[in-house]
Amino acid sequence: MSRVFNFSAGPAALPEPVLRQAAEEMLDWQGSGMSVMEMSHRGREFIGICEEAEATLRRLLAVPPHFRILFMQGGGLGENAIVPMNLSGGGAVDVVVTGAWSRKSLAEAGKYADARAAADTRDDGHTSLPPPAQWRLRDGAAYVHVCSNETIHGVEMATLPDLAALGCRAPLVVDCSSHVLSRPVDWSRVGLAFAGAQKNVGPAGLTLVFVREDLLGRALAICPSAFDYRLVADNGSMFNTPPTYGIYVAGLVFRWIEAEGGVAEMDRRADARAARVYGCIDGSGGFYVNRVQRTARSRMNLPFFLADERLQDDFLAGAKAAGLVQLKGHKSVGGLRASLYNAMPMAGVEALVDYLADFQRRRG
Ligand SMILES: *Cc1c(COP(=O)(O)O)cnc(C)c1O
């Protein structure tokens, strides 16, 4: 068996020990005589798996008791509709547009609410973060939406905005799909956070939602019952059948993170990985280029370009031959992208940096 280093933005690489354990337990989960996939979601075994996953996640991110953790379906884009259906009351929603994902959130919220951009970095090609003091926030907005890590443009908020300090009383909604569990969260600044699992958590199909208890019970009448946070919370994420296998694998990932040293260690590793790759790009004398302002650069998703884009196909073919896959940039921005999630070992980063240097030596 030979595994590649997978730099995909998502669905993305999972920690190898997690995949091994899932494989070992595939046919017979801990003497139950069945796979987790075959279990009733209301049975004792699965309830235990689900409760342990939630408890571990709560410990890892120090989620306070007045936040509920929901395991849902529909992905990040599903939440772009589910959030306004639950929280907007059909009123004003302010969205900070820092890249492709928050732009999608703005468009989707507009179907259910009076959604407007409080800031938009389109003019600089989404290579910066707009200072919160300059956001145009409306009095009485139902919530303010940010994407704390823009997966396509490679822009990341190192800290969440303090809306209260800006005189804004609206809850903050955070799409943290592509960097959840890579850094601690200041929950005092958050009303709701959501994350599709397939970047840093587990298989596609599971969505994590962290919601402050006082925000439950506000859904619009048109909101599907299965997506009403109040109903999902009251039923322990089992209002309808949850993505059981995804929750199980996510639980294994949570335990793996804890065993490795928790979110503080993931944070440290994310710094180390990103420093190594950005260092190589910035040190290439312009052969490789990343255009994002340094303080806004993502540690998880590193988009970059070859100054001579005609070399790109050769770059990708050579990378693949070296066991480094999924380095092509998103079609909307082109170029290259290396996603360095929690599961990417330092050996993968070193292999990438070696390849970058080698390719430049040969073709620079
Ligand atoms: C991947 C991603 C999404 C979309 O998730 P889906 O599960 O495909 O709906 C939303 N937001 C961000 C920031 C993402 O990275």
Side-chain angles (χ1 to χ4, degrees):
M1 186 189 69
S2 76
R3 284 182 51 83
V4 293
F5 290 119
N6 177 3
F7 296 91
S8 170
L14 287 169
E16 202 170 302
V18 165
L19 295 176
R20 284 184 193 285
Q21 186 173 347
E24 268 166 33
E25 295 178 337
M26 177 60 80
L27 295 181
D28 177 7
W29 183 81
Q30 300 191 6
S32 65
M34 60 178 103
S35 166
V36 174
M37 261 184 263
E38 303 169 301
M39 286 176 185
S40 164
H41 60 297
R42 305 204 185 275
R44 186 174 48 83
E45 284 108 336
F46 185 74
I47 301 256
I49 288 170
C50 192
E51 285 177 353
E52 197 201 314
E54 184 185 330
T56 312
L57 177 58
R58 195 176 277 281
R59 271 198 310 280
L60 282 173
L61 281 173
V63 182
H66 64 288
F67 275 79
R68 304 293 288 268
I69 297 177
L70 312 180
F71 295 130
M72 296 183 70
Q73 308 195 48
L77 289 190
E79 289 304 320
N80 278 348
I82 295 167
V83 170
M85 280 194 286
N86 274 274
L87 302 190
S88 74
V93 166
D94 289 331
V95 178
V96 180
V97 179
T98 50
W101 287 112
S102 45
R103 187 170 307 287
K104 280 181 200 260
S105 303
L106 171 65
E108 190 72 10
K111 292 183 171 185
Y112 308 98
D114 167 24
R116 269 195 236 165
D120 192 334
T121 55
R122 188 203 312 251
D123 287 349
D124 67 24
H126 302 305
T127 55
S128 67
L129 283 168
Q134 291 170 17
W135 296 355
R136 298 173 300 275
L137 301 173
R138 286 175 285 175
D139 284 341
Y143 64 90
V144 177
H145 176 110
V146 300
C147 176
S148 50
N149 185 64
E150 289 279 1
T151 320
I152 293 173
H153 287 89
V155 172
E156 181 174 13
M157 295 179 180
T159 54
L160 292 173
D162 183 356
L163 293 184
L166 299 170
C168 171
R169 289 165 56 204
L172 181 71
V173 169
V174 186
D175 176 359
C176 58
S177 292
S178 50
H179 75 164
V180 65
L181 289 163
S182 70
R183 54 167 80 246
V185 175
D186 180 349
W187 293 103
S188 72
R189 298 183 174 185
V190 176
L192 181 145
F194 67 82
Q198 70 272 25
K199 307 330 181 3
N200 230 354
V201 172
L206 166 67
T207 314
L208 308 180
V209 176
F210 308 85
V211 56
R212 222 172 56 202
E213 209 138 33
D214 63 287
L215 298 175
L216 299 172
R218 302 182 180 192
L220 298 173
I222 56 158
C223 180
S225 303
F227 294 148
D228 180 330
Y229 293 138
R230 167 94 271 164
L231 292 175
V232 177
D234 283 351
N235 289 279
S237 296
M238 307 233 185
F239 177 76
N240 66 330
T241 314
T244 52
Y245 198 74
I247 292 170
Y248 157 72
V249 176
L252 298 182
V253 171
F254 300 153
R255 284 215 305 245
W256 174 80
I257 293 174
E258 201 161 57
E260 293 290 303
V263 168
E265 175 63 13
M266 296 300 118
D267 196 15
R268 191 195 65 73
R269 290 182 191 178
D271 266 341
R273 280 190 292 257
R276 198 80 179 88
V277 179
Y278 283 124
C280 182
I281 292 168
D282 294 340
S284 71
F287 186 75
Y288 303 109
V289 184
N290 169 283
R291 304 195 179 110
V292 179
Q293 283 182 12
R294 283 182 193 232
T295 52
R297 281 176 166 179
S298 170
R299 305 184 304 175
M300 297 278 112
N301 310 100
L302 289 63
F304 60 103
F305 298 87
L306 282 154
D308 181 355
E309 294 215 315
R310 287 169 305 182
L311 299 177
Q312 185 161 311
D313 289 347
D314 287 353
F315 176 94
L316 289 168
K320 184 146 189 269
L324 311 173
V325 304
Q326 301 276 6
L327 283 163
K328 197 171 169 145
H330 190 270
K331 59 185 187 302
S332 64
V333 296
L336 303 160
R337 174 173 54 172
S339 293
L340 309 175
Y341 295 124
N342 286 346
M344 178 57 65
M346 206 59 197
V349 173
E350 292 304 333
L352 174 63
V353 165
D354 286 349
Y355 179 72
L356 288 168
D358 180 59
F359 187 81
Q360 181 174 8
R361 251 192 316 274
R362 289 187 286 111
R363 308 297 295 274

